[in-house]
Amino acid sequence: MGQIKPLVIGDLTVEKPVIQGGMGVGISLHGLAGAVAKAGGLGIISTAQIGFREPDFAANPLEANLRAIKKEFDLARKTAPHGAIGFNIMVATKGYKEYVKAAVKAGADIIISGAGLPVSLPEYVEEAMKENKCSIRTKIAPIVSTAKSAAVICKFWDRKYHKAADLVVIEGPLAGGHLGFSREQLREYGADTQDTARTYDRDAYDREVKEILNVVKGYEEKYNTHIPVVTAGGIYDHEDVMHQLDLGADGVQVATRFVTTVECDAPECYKQAYIQAKKEDIVITKSPVGMPGRAMVNPFLKKASEGRIPPERCYQCLEKCDPAAIPYCITKALVNAAEGYVDQGLLFCGGKADRAQKIETVDEVMRELIG
């Protein structure tokens, strides 16, 4: 049986084996990440358009975002001077290398990276550490969803950098936001419906998790070191946590559950949208860049399904984005939501968002998860 014990990532020890998932735009910034770190978990700041509140964001989004990385980290560190704090950086981000280097320079304990395979992450981190003469190495963790993707990234890092991951995050089909699955794969797991509590085939994905664990184990043996693995997606309560630990995971990554906390950086109306949501409000939608994503039905999503919403400007957010062809600007949609215009914004959420009943503190959520 799995046991609740600290999450040890090399020389970084996280008292409670809970990583708070990175949520952007503007949902997991210093407020949430700092509170989770203070409570003994691993707080994660999302770099997705992190500088949206900077005065020059519209004109200079890259510069504003890089500046905000340092600001948000310093504020989170002020809340949790001795806590574990890192960043979630999407591989699909335009200027990915610059974001990674800015996170290392800020002092990140770890960088978790998905939305593509982070093939160059070790190189960028090492460059940044040398340039900034860092004494403590920033840990690196790829996000994978299948044994195939885990094998590809582990093999690539092994061959090119003679290095293994410090941590591996397995993100399952009940996660929120952009998903590492095709629509067909989601259908295979019963995770593309509006009633995942009934249709989701947990046993099928549990088998995939065990295959990923076997892939990681091979590199543990090669490098003679323990590579912790945490699972994510649809983890909402203590029973969910224990199930993942029983599978062999070292910890869990939780995002949606933290949205309805006092400390979450989202505006109050955003949190209330989660509390008011019913299971039929949670759908799989197609992102402007073609990826499946899980979000809540609201006036914006309905409008987007009826026809194209032409972008007013380009915010230089994603590497593979054609402003002339996309159905709507995902930055504008996510920023609207983060600024409180929820009916005009995109509300990403996990598969169990309808379970939110009230506003809690981070401490209360952590206690409930750990039991």
Side-chain angles (χ1 to χ4, degrees), residues 260-315:
T260 51
T261 58
V262 173
E263 298 91 341
C264 179
D265 299 275
E268 186 64 25
C269 56
Y270 191 108
K271 301 174 187 181
Q272 289 300 322
Y274 272 53
I275 291 173
Q276 295 164 17
K278 299 177 178 62
K279 63 184 178 183
E280 56 266 28
D281 297 326
I282 302 170
V283 299
I284 301 296
T285 184
K286 186 177 180 180
S287 149
V289 291
M291 301 167 65
R294 183 171 279 109
M296 287 185 192
V297 173
N298 70 343
F300 170 79
L301 208 58
K302 290 177 180 177
K303 182 180 179 181
S305 68
E306 294 168 356
R308 186 168 185 263
I309 304 173
E312 298 174 359
R313 65 170 69 238
C314 179
Y315 293 93

Side-chain angles (χ1 to χ4, degrees), residues 53-190:
R53 291 194 179 101
E54 293 291 300
D56 59 340
F57 173 68
N60 304 295
L62 177 60
E63 291 86 344
N65 288 334
L66 296 179
R67 191 185 317 126
I69 286 174
K70 173 65 173 171
K71 286 185 179 180
E72 292 293 336
F73 183 84
D74 286 349
L75 288 169
R77 178 59 73 209
K78 187 175 180 180
T79 299
H82 307 293
I85 303 168
F87 288 92
N88 179 291
I89 308 177
M90 297 189 298
V91 178
T93 302
K94 198 164 191 173
Y96 176 68
K97 181 177 182 178
E98 287 82 359
Y99 284 76
V100 170
K101 287 192 168 186
V104 173
K105 185 177 181 180
D109 290 311
I110 191 168
I111 292 173
I112 298 174
S113 196
L117 291 175
V119 291
S120 300
L121 183 58
E123 176 184 342
Y124 298 160
V125 168
E126 289 301 323
E127 284 183 13
M129 289 181 61
K130 289 178 181 177
E131 290 169 4
N132 296 286
K133 298 179 180 178
C134 300
S135 57
I136 299 176
R137 188 174 68 83
T138 298
K139 310 294 186 296
I140 56 176
I143 298 175
V144 300
S145 294
T146 63
K148 182 179 179 180
S149 60
V152 168
I153 193 63
C154 288
K155 185 176 183 179
F156 188 91
W157 284 4
D158 174 43
R159 286 190 170 183
K160 184 167 183 178
Y161 303 112
H162 308 292
K163 175 175 179 55
D166 296 300
L167 169 79
V168 174
V169 177
I170 304 174
E171 193 165 86
L174 293 184
H178 287 128
L179 303 168
F181 300 88
S182 67
R183 190 69 186 249
E184 291 70 26
Q185 288 173 313
L186 291 172
R187 190 172 296 118
E188 287 176 13
Y189 291 118

Side-chain angles (χ1 to χ4, degrees), residues 15 31-34 55 76 80 92 112 145 150 157 210 219 222 227 241 255 267 275 343 345 348 356 362:
E15 178 190 348
L32 180 55
I112 298 174
S145 294
W157 284 4
K210 289 179 181 178
Y219 289 91
K222 179 168 184 176
I227 303 171
V241 172
I275 291 173
D343 286 347
F348 275 148
V362 163

